[in-house]
Structure formats: structure tokens, C-alpha cells
Amino acid sequence: TNIDGVNAELRRLFPEAWRKICLLREQGVSSLDPAYQELVARVVPDLEWVDPWNHPPLSREGGFEEAVYRSIVGPDPEWVVEGTLRGYDPVPRLREIQAPTLVLTGRYDRLTPPEVADEIHEALAPGRRSFHVFERSAHRPWVEQPDDYFDVVGAFLAKAS
């Protein structure tokens, strides 16, 4: 799952933080516990950018709605999906989508990697699907490559209408 991929990246790139995460897990701490979230908040943002030290600012107004997230994915979402999304797999039904569909991804997205976007693209009906990889972006191509992003989206919308 995508959760496993994020955890693999944390383990690979931040072994010292991963050890602390594993210690928390051994103590029965869930991934929504403030101690867990504080630890992860220090390292996950580095997975969101091509260059974690030099990227455009991103407003975080409104913040994180834990109650909503918990209802959707459950009380321990970084390990297992138990909320309303439990067992949900949209991939088998993607071919039923009749509208033109654009799938976008950043080449260096370590949270939702290009292989996930490619799986979605391949599950859509041929002839109604488009796929684009932003070569200098990670999780937020609209921030890292805004001109390219809006050109691609604008061209898709113009063609689809």
C-alpha cells in the first residue's frame, strides 16, 4: 500500500527517526498520538519536495483536521486503514469512468510515487485518459513547477471541453 511506501522511505532516509517510531510502536503508541505525529512532522516534509531546503512557501492555513482523517482512515492510519476507506479499492472500477481524466505526478514524489499514478492511469479506459509526469517535482508539482503545471492542466481542460 501507499502507507507501506511512505514508511519504507522513512526507514531508508531517516533511520534514526525510524528507530524512534518503532520504539513508540512497541509501546503501543498509535500514529495519531501527538508524540508520534511530532516525530513524523519533523521528517515527512522532506519527502514532499525535490529540494527540501529550497522550495516555494506553502500556506498551511486551516491545518490538519484529525477527526476527519481518523474517520476516513481509522485510529492508526500510518499502519493500517480501518476507517470508512477500509477495504476500498477504486482501481477495478476506474475503467467505468466516462469523462476524460488527467493523471498527474511528480517524478520525485516519495509520498505518492509515480508508480501509483501509473497504476491509476493504466486502469482508466484507453482513449479517455492522459498522463503527465512533472520531471522537477515531488508531491506538489503545482508549487514546484507552477507554469508547467497550469499549462498542462489548461491544455487538458481546453481539449476536454
Side-chain angles (χ1 to χ4, degrees):
T1 67
N2 199 47
I3 294 168
D4 298 332
V6 172
N7 285 340
E9 285 294 297
L10 291 174
R11 183 173 50 250
R12 185 173 73 84
L13 296 173
F14 301 99
E16 67 288 354
W18 184 252
R19 277 192 295 280
K20 292 176 183 175
I21 287 169
C22 290
L23 285 172
L24 289 173
R25 299 295 300 166
E26 288 172 13
Q27 296 167 8
V29 173
S30 88
S31 56
L32 286 181
D33 184 277
Y36 187 105
Q37 286 295 308
E38 181 182 326
L39 178 59
V40 170
R42 284 186 250 144
V43 294
V44 166
D46 287 349
L47 301 177
E48 298 176 341
W49 305 100
V50 167
D51 181 353
W53 304 279
N54 183 27
H55 59 80
L58 183 64
S59 172
R60 298 211 185 246
E61 288 183 32
F64 174 68
E65 293 292 335
E66 182 184 322
V68 173
Y69 190 59
R70 181 183 295 270
S71 72
I72 294 170
V73 289
D76 201 13
E78 308 313 325
W79 294 87
V80 63
V81 175
E82 295 177 329
T84 56
L85 284 181
R86 178 186 184 147
Y88 178 67
D89 180 6
V91 174
R93 298 199 56 207
L94 292 179
R95 200 161 299 276
E96 298 172 21
I97 294 174
Q98 298 296 309
T101 305
L102 174 61
V103 179
L104 304 172
T105 187
R107 176 67 68 198
Y108 301 99
D109 189 342
R110 291 181 300 273
L111 298 178
T112 309
E115 70 180 341
V116 172
D118 185 63
E119 177 185 2
I120 291 167
H121 173 258
E122 289 299 310
L124 293 162
R128 291 190 293 270
R129 64 187 186 194
S130 299
F131 185 72
H132 188 85
V133 178
F134 293 93
E135 296 294 339
R136 295 179 319 280
S137 294
H139 197 60
R140 296 187 174 93
W142 64 93
V143 179
E144 291 182 303
Q145 291 182 256
D147 293 340
D148 293 340
Y149 180 87
F150 289 106
D151 286 348
V152 167
V153 172
F156 172 79
L157 292 174
K159 183 179 169 186
S161 59

